[in-house]
Amino acid sequence: MAAGGRLETETGTRAGVIVRSGRAVGRVVLAGPRAVTRRVRRATHAHGAGESGMAKLIELHAVHSAGDMLITFALASTIFFSVPTDEARGRVALYLAVTMAPFILLAPVIGPLLDRVPHGRRAAMAGALLARGMLALVIASAVVTGGIELYPAALGVMVCSKAYNIVRAAVVPRLLPPRVSLVKANARITLTGLISAGAMAPVGLALNAVGERWPLYAACVITVIGALMSFRLPGRVDLAKGERTAHLAELAELRSSRGTADGQRGFLPKVGDSPVLKALVANSALRAVSGFLLFFMAFLLRGEPLPGLGAALSLGLVGVAAGVGNGLGNLLGNWLRERSPELILLAVLAVAVGTTVTATVSYLAVTVIAVCAAAGICQALGKLALDALIQRDVPEVVRTSAFARSETTLQMAWVMGGAIGISLPLVGPLGMGVCATLALLGAGLSVRGLLTTARRGSPHPRVR
């Protein structure tokens, strides 16, 4: 009996040691993720974002970006990398065709539809995320069977993503903390999305190594989580008392609030010279350049790498340059938030024109990489400046609708730029020349109006 008791005691002691050791190991393993989570939470909740509800929107966008990365990774490996270049071009051309044609028809509908259901913004975001998750499952079956349903499902994913971004743009002004400007808020949201997507890229690579479907399965789970998170947003994002719909014609006739002491609408040089409309034109050109570069360079560099470099290194360098440029643009936007939005737009147009023209004249690895980096910087800074102008010059009753309209226009410009890129011959200097033409077109249509408003100065230098 005594021996049995000692054995039970020793067994219990060993079990206790194992349990305590397991707990200690668990604490060590979880210490890193917990520390990262605490830091991320502090960053997202900083400057009153936790109290206003902005932090919840930032976290929701991080989840959306993670799912978006997984779906994009799966589509890229299926449509682009898994087949020869000629066949891949045909597949992507079909993908863009089914994406662009219906979206151009749907774009005038999405904005007004969302305007008619302003009390359901959280439900609209949740619905867009949930639909993308379900479509990811459809794509998961299509990537193995090669069924034609891949393309309608890819179209649905694209439209749902655009709808989410349109609603998010409309929600941001309602969650602004008192101490945070719109430029800074959008920069924080975008930068968090980029970090989340970048962190998910190696996860997508690992899941793809297990099987082609697994990134899509993970994307479905993530987007369902995002749909549930949408309802954590404060209820005031659904309130639309006093709001009405804005149309592009109204944006063209907006008077600037600059130069008036009483805050009323001031000068109106002439219809179509409104800084908001000019900023939208400039941003559309920059977004078209970004879409063009994505598709054109992806196909060009598969068969014709940058001078002196291999294909894989060329693709990696331009991809990193564009991603770093986008992140840098958002950081600069946070730093330049006290500057005039018109001056920021003029600067990014000058950079876009200068780099693309230089790469056209002198097609070298360094000039092409500079174009891709500049495209990322200019797109990010240009969008932040446009958001600031809308907040400054658009009346509050139509501001939410104006954000939705501008986001729809920019998404269409990106798709059209991609369509141009996929249709051109794969000649490097020719592609850079098209980029320069798009940038020059945007500058030509917007610089004069932006200069006019910039010269008048502003009694309110800090754009909120």
Side-chain angles (χ1 to χ4, degrees):
M1 292 291 294
R6 284 196 301 274
L7 180 60
E8 290 180 1
T9 302
E10 291 175 359
T11 302
T13 302
R14 292 194 192 98
V17 170
I18 293 172
V19 170
R20 288 192 295 271
S21 300
R23 289 175 179 173
V25 172
R27 284 194 294 269
V28 171
V29 171
L30 294 176
R34 284 174 177 171
V36 172
T37 301
R38 284 195 297 269
R39 291 189 178 184
V40 170
R41 188 171 179 81
R42 281 199 300 268
T44 58
H45 285 64
H47 305 108
E51 292 79 7
S52 72
M54 179 63 70
K56 294 179 179 179
L57 181 61
I58 294 173
E59 292 164 358
L60 171 61
H61 187 66
V63 172
H64 169 269
S65 299
D68 210 26
M69 168 56 72
L70 290 174
I71 294 175
T72 301
F73 186 92
L75 287 174
S77 62
T78 302
I79 298 177
F80 181 69
F81 289 107
S82 63
V83 295
T85 300
D86 291 339
E87 186 179 345
R89 277 193 92 178
R91 288 192 179 191
V92 175
L94 177 59
Y95 171 74
L96 275 179
V98 300
T99 298
M100 182 176 65
F103 189 66
I104 288 177
L105 297 175
L106 288 172
V109 177
I110 291 176
L113 179 62
L114 295 174
D115 288 333
R116 294 184 183 278
V117 287
H119 296 283
R121 292 190 182 108
R122 290 182 298 176
M125 297 176 81
L129 286 162
L130 188 60
R132 289 177 69 234
M134 298 303 102
L135 289 168
L137 294 181
V138 175
I139 296 172
S141 63
V143 295
V144 175
T145 62
I148 193 65
E149 66 269 17
L150 171 66
Y151 297 98
L155 164 64
V157 166
M158 177 72 75
V159 172
C160 290
S161 181
K162 306 313 178 190
Y164 163 85
N165 284 319
I166 290 170
V167 182
R168 178 181 60 82
V171 165
V172 171
R174 291 193 165 275
L175 299 179
L176 272 182
R179 293 176 292 166
V180 177
S181 69
L182 183 63
V183 173
K184 186 172 183 178
N186 279 303
R188 188 184 298 183
I189 292 171
T190 305
L191 191 59
T192 303
L194 289 173
I195 294 172
S196 176
M200 192 55 62
V203 176
L205 184 63
L207 289 173
N208 191 69
V210 176
E212 291 178 312
R213 297 183 177 187
W214 284 99
L216 293 160
Y217 291 152
C220 179
V221 173
I222 290 174
T223 51
V224 170
I225 293 172
L228 297 175
M229 291 176 64
S230 300
F231 293 102
R232 296 173 60 241
L233 297 175
R236 64 178 175 274
V237 304
D238 288 338
L239 299 178
K241 184 179 180 179
E243 290 185 3
R244 64 181 181 84
T245 302
H247 301 282
L248 290 179
E250 290 182 280
L251 299 183
E253 297 176 2
L254 283 173
R255 297 172 183 266
S256 174
S257 60
R258 291 179 168 216
T260 59
D262 59 359
Q264 300 298 317
R265 297 298 168 191
F267 70 92
L268 179 61
K270 64 180 180 179
V271 173
D273 267 355
S274 100
V276 174
L277 183 63
K278 296 302 183 183
L280 184 58
V281 170
N283 272 271
S284 297
L286 295 173
R287 194 64 67 94
V289 169
S290 177
F292 176 88
L293 283 172
L294 174 64
F295 291 99
F296 182 81
M297 297 305 296
F299 285 111
L300 173 68
L301 297 180
R302 286 187 69 179
E304 186 182 327
L306 294 174
L309 302 176
L313 182 57
S314 298
L315 281 168
L317 285 176
V318 298
V320 169
V324 171
N326 200 304
L328 182 59
N330 283 284
L331 290 175
L332 287 173
N334 184 33
W335 178 58
L336 295 171
R337 63 183 182 274
E338 308 291 336
R339 304 298 189 271
S340 163
E342 290 92 343
L343 292 178
I344 293 175
L345 276 169
L346 290 168
V348 298
L349 285 171
V351 170
V353 170
T355 54
T356 52
V357 170
T358 300
T360 303
V361 175
S362 179
Y363 184 79
L364 302 171
V366 64
T367 57
V368 173
I369 293 172
V371 166
C372 295
I377 295 173
C378 294
Q379 177 181 308
L381 274 176
K383 181 61 167 64
L384 294 174
L386 172 62
D387 289 345
L389 282 169
I390 291 175
Q391 190 185 35
R392 187 194 72 191
D393 289 348
V394 176
E396 186 175 358
V397 293
V398 295
R399 190 176 295 157
T400 297
S401 181
F403 276 111
R405 290 292 189 279
S406 66
E407 184 66 27
T408 301
T409 303
L410 296 181
Q411 298 293 355
M412 288 174 60
W414 183 88
V415 174
M416 294 181 71
I420 296 172
I422 199 63
S423 63
L424 284 182
L426 297 178
V427 180
L430 173 63
M432 294 299 102
V434 171
C435 285
T437 301
L438 291 172
L440 285 167
L441 181 63
L445 294 174
S446 61
V447 163
R448 182 178 177 183
L450 294 173
L451 279 173
T452 301
T453 52
R455 286 170 179 166
R456 293 178 181 266
S458 173
H460 309 291
R462 185 169 187 263
V463 178
R464 280 207 44 79

